[in-house]
Amino acid sequence: MPPFPTAARQALADTQLRHNLAHATGTIRAKRAKVVGEVEHWEDLRLAGAAVKARALADLETNLVRLEESLTAQGATVHWARDAAEACEVVARVARSHDVDEVVKVKSMATQEIELNEALQAQGIAAWETDLAELIVQLGDDLPSHILVPAIHRNRAEIREIFRSKMAGSGRPAPDDLTDEPAVLAGAARQHLREKFLRAKVAVSGANFAVAETGTLVVVESEGNGRMCLTLPEVLVSVVGIEKVVPTFAELDPLLRLLPRSSTGERMNPYTSMWTGVTPGDGPQEVHVVLVDNGRTRALADEVGRQALRCIRCSACLNVCPVYERTGGHAYGSVYPGPIGAILNPLMRGQGDPQVDSLPYASSLCGACFEVCPVRIDIPEVLVHLRSKVVDAHRDDRVPKAEAVAMKSTAWAFTDAKRLAAGERLSGLAGRVLTRVGKARLPGGRATAGRLPGPGAAWTGARDMPAPPRESFRAWWRRTDGGRSEGSGQSEQKGGE
Ligand code: SF4
């Protein structure tokens, strides 16, 4: 995957994509704002949600051990996975032990993160997504581009075309009279998926929360496909990131109130499924829980960044982000796109990969993401922190970046008064020349350097570069004794203020 600026350029050129995104994020934004506005003490609720997650993370080891004990006591089998490969192998082993060549899945970020579908496919096991948007993405050989609405970049006409051309290849074909009416498209998906639900012996899920006290896993969803996956098959394998643990059942309360309003803009989500181990004669009779690290303890070790593990994957930060709205999710090169992806990926994977290193810069730092985050993750603070880590990681590069050279030269000039004065004189001279001969002007009449050649072109391609002032502050101070001898010019300026 190329670094964000390269990938984003391609996305920005796709006007259909930008139209689809602007429409979808605008709609969800408005819905969220309306239902959040109805809650009188929303800020208190945010603080409560953040505190629950912070408490769970502060004592993660104890909570996880307790979760394992509770799950085991309730008849579930717990597996620990250090990385994606270990997690995928556990799921494949369970599927193989039941001699199946397919599993059904309820939408799960963790399984996308570990690339479970691809790993199972390599072992001859088909993993069928049952969430409508995930089905669209899977049939279209596409990648999700939003946490909550994975097919946000597709419109109705595109979805109809995907169903018509691809459904037959993986089961029941789309009906001949398929139109692009939402209800007709949903009906075709329902028929297609029902066959798979009724046939599958093994299901794979994630979990929004895992309660240490009781060993209860929670899945929140809107379509009912999750409920089908969690109840119909004989075997259930849940792949859960270790940060999903919540100490007690009572602490689910603020989180389950924050999540639907922040994500889909609903007062309550349509389906909240909770299951606690195995119940004889009811639901899956074999339950496996895979607790996955895959970089989470690395993120936890970062004192500033660990707050990102509070994320409840509501996607509110994506829907308000001006950068995400224009580029969509693919440009982030990860299942976690948008502001949360820009911090979570570097925290979990560390510095050194140019693509990951580019993500903390994929932000205008406007702060809108922090404003809407239901668990108060200060994303701008973490972005700035991660930018500093990227800079630190590249300090010893054999070929330094142009920015690093510029910073070093500036430091060289600023640490010596004579050098600084010489630099000011040079810049003043450049300012005078530009003002006299330059043709480009900013609104208000100030001269501008226009388009710079070479590496400077990337800078001036998107910004104005005003001509340097003809006189530096220090020169002005010397000339006017700090404004005391400037006379009428100074009083005019004060009057203007
Ligand atoms: S960072 Fe906050 S706003 Fe963004 S997805 Fe996570 S919980 Fe939601």
Side-chain angles (χ1 to χ4, degrees):
M1 191 70 196
F4 183 84
T6 311
R9 199 164 297 127
Q10 203 179 347
L12 286 168
D14 186 340
T15 48
Q16 179 69 60
L17 172 80
R18 290 178 61 179
H19 174 79
N20 295 352
L21 281 168
H23 176 71
T25 54
T27 308
I28 306 174
R29 254 195 327 259
K31 271 180 81 183
R32 178 207 161 269
K34 184 167 172 285
V35 296
V36 163
E38 294 169 353
V39 182
E40 206 178 328
H41 301 295
W42 180 254
E43 199 51 35
D44 291 343
L45 199 56
R46 280 178 88 202
L47 286 164
V52 168
K53 293 289 287 185
R55 253 196 316 276
L57 292 168
D59 206 1
L60 187 61
E61 191 178 338
T62 310
N63 286 317
L64 287 172
V65 170
R66 198 170 171 208
L67 175 66
E68 181 181 30
E69 285 165 4
S70 306
L71 282 165
T72 310
Q74 297 297 336
T77 306
V78 176
H79 310 261
W80 296 89
R82 274 170 299 199
D83 55 25
E86 285 187 4
C88 290
E89 184 45 38
V90 172
V91 184
R93 208 165 53 229
V94 173
R96 279 199 312 264
S97 71
H98 289 275
D99 218 12
V100 298
D101 60 3
E102 64 172 7
V103 299
V104 285
K105 283 184 68 200
V106 50
K107 179 176 175 300
S108 147
M109 303 301 296
T111 58
Q112 283 167 15
E113 174 193 321
I114 62 172
E115 301 186 349
L116 179 65
N117 292 10
E118 294 77 2
L120 290 178
Q121 195 175 21
Q123 303 210 25
I125 302 164
W128 303 120
E129 297 291 348
T130 62
D131 174 89
L132 175 57
E134 284 292 344
L135 175 73
I136 294 164
V137 168
Q138 187 174 43
L139 290 176
D141 292 324
D142 202 355
L143 292 168
S145 68
H146 190 277
I147 291 179
L148 196 74
V149 199
I152 197 170
H153 54 296
R154 298 290 196 182
N155 61 25
R156 287 195 271 151
E158 291 174 303
I159 295 166
R160 173 176 177 263
E161 201 37 52
I162 290 171
F163 280 9
R164 277 171 59 89
S165 58
K166 295 289 181 61
M167 260 185 176
S170 68
R172 187 187 178 104
D176 291 338
D177 57 352
L178 187 74
T179 69
D180 65 4
E181 283 302 308
V184 176
L185 292 170
R190 191 177 296 122
Q191 296 298 327
H192 180 82
L193 289 171
R194 194 159 294 260
E195 283 187 356
K196 291 179 170 148
F197 285 132
L198 295 175
R199 198 171 60 210
K201 268 193 190 162
V202 178
V204 177
S205 84
N208 292 84
F209 307 105
V211 183
E213 176 188 40
T214 56
T216 304
L217 300 182
V218 185
V219 158
V220 175
E221 42 110 13
S222 302
E223 296 170 17
N225 63 305
R227 180 74 51 93
M228 304 273 268
C229 282
L230 300 168
T231 52
L232 287 176
E234 293 162 23
V235 181
L236 174 61
V237 190
S238 300
V239 181
V240 184
I242 54 174
E243 84 285 14
K244 294 295 173 77
V245 68
V246 172
T248 63
F249 199 84
E251 283 169 301
L252 285 177
D253 173 52
L255 301 171
L256 287 176
R257 284 198 279 155
L258 286 163
L259 183 53
R261 286 183 199 255
S262 303
S263 55
T264 46
E266 290 165 305
R267 295 179 184 90
M268 195 175 177
N269 51 283
Y271 294 89
T272 301
S273 301
M274 299 190 182
W275 67 107
T276 309
V278 176
T279 305
D282 184 14
Q285 295 300 293
E286 188 177 319
V287 172
H288 296 264
V289 180
V290 190
L291 295 171
V292 184
D293 183 329
N294 203 32
R296 284 157 175 82
T297 47
R298 180 204 284 263
L300 191 67
D302 187 310
E303 284 182 19
V304 179
R306 67 175 58 135
Q307 56 185 306
L309 295 177
R310 298 206 297 254
C311 177
I312 56 173
R313 313 277 190 263
C314 70
S315 76
C317 57
L318 276 65
N319 299 328
V320 295
C321 177
V323 176
Y324 175 86
E325 185 178 316
R326 282 155 186 83
T327 62
H330 292 163
Y332 295 81
S334 149
V335 293
Y336 303 110
I340 183 61
I343 59 173
L344 205 52
N345 289 302
L347 284 166
M348 287 178 19
R349 291 160 64 184
Q351 282 67 48
D353 177 323
Q355 192 268 333
V356 179
D357 285 355
S358 71
L359 293 177
Y361 296 90
S363 169
S364 63
L365 297 181
C366 67
C369 46
F370 174 55
E371 292 288 313
V372 296
C373 178
V375 283
R376 293 181 57 89
I377 300 170
D378 193 341
I379 297 176
E381 181 194 26
V382 183
L383 285 166
V384 172
H385 165 70
L386 289 170
R387 288 182 187 187
S388 75
K389 292 190 83 165
V390 171
V391 171
D392 287 343
H394 289 281
R395 276 196 203 286
D396 298 327
D397 282 0
R398 282 179 59 195
V399 182
K401 287 189 169 34
E403 189 188 18
V405 173
M407 287 297 167
K408 272 212 170 107
S409 320
T410 309
W412 178 79
F414 271 57
T415 47
D416 183 285
K418 280 191 189 140
R419 289 198 286 259
L420 180 59
E424 285 171 352
R425 278 196 298 278
L426 264 178
S427 117
L429 182 65
R432 278 194 291 280
V433 172
L434 262 177
T435 306
R436 195 160 299 163
V437 304
K439 294 199 173 59
R441 287 282 184 274
L442 296 173
R446 185 169 176 183
T448 167
R451 264 187 103 79
L452 291 177
W459 177 266
T460 52
R463 303 167 185 83
D464 292 316
M465 178 143 172
R470 285 184 286 181
E471 185 176 38
S472 72
F473 175 75
R474 295 196 318 165
W476 169 84
W477 187 280
R478 265 197 311 274
R479 182 172 62 78
T480 66
D481 189 21
R484 282 181 277 273
S485 63
E486 198 168 34
S488 60
Q490 192 221 3
S491 48
E492 270 167 29
Q493 194 181 348
K494 280 196 170 166
E497 288 168 357

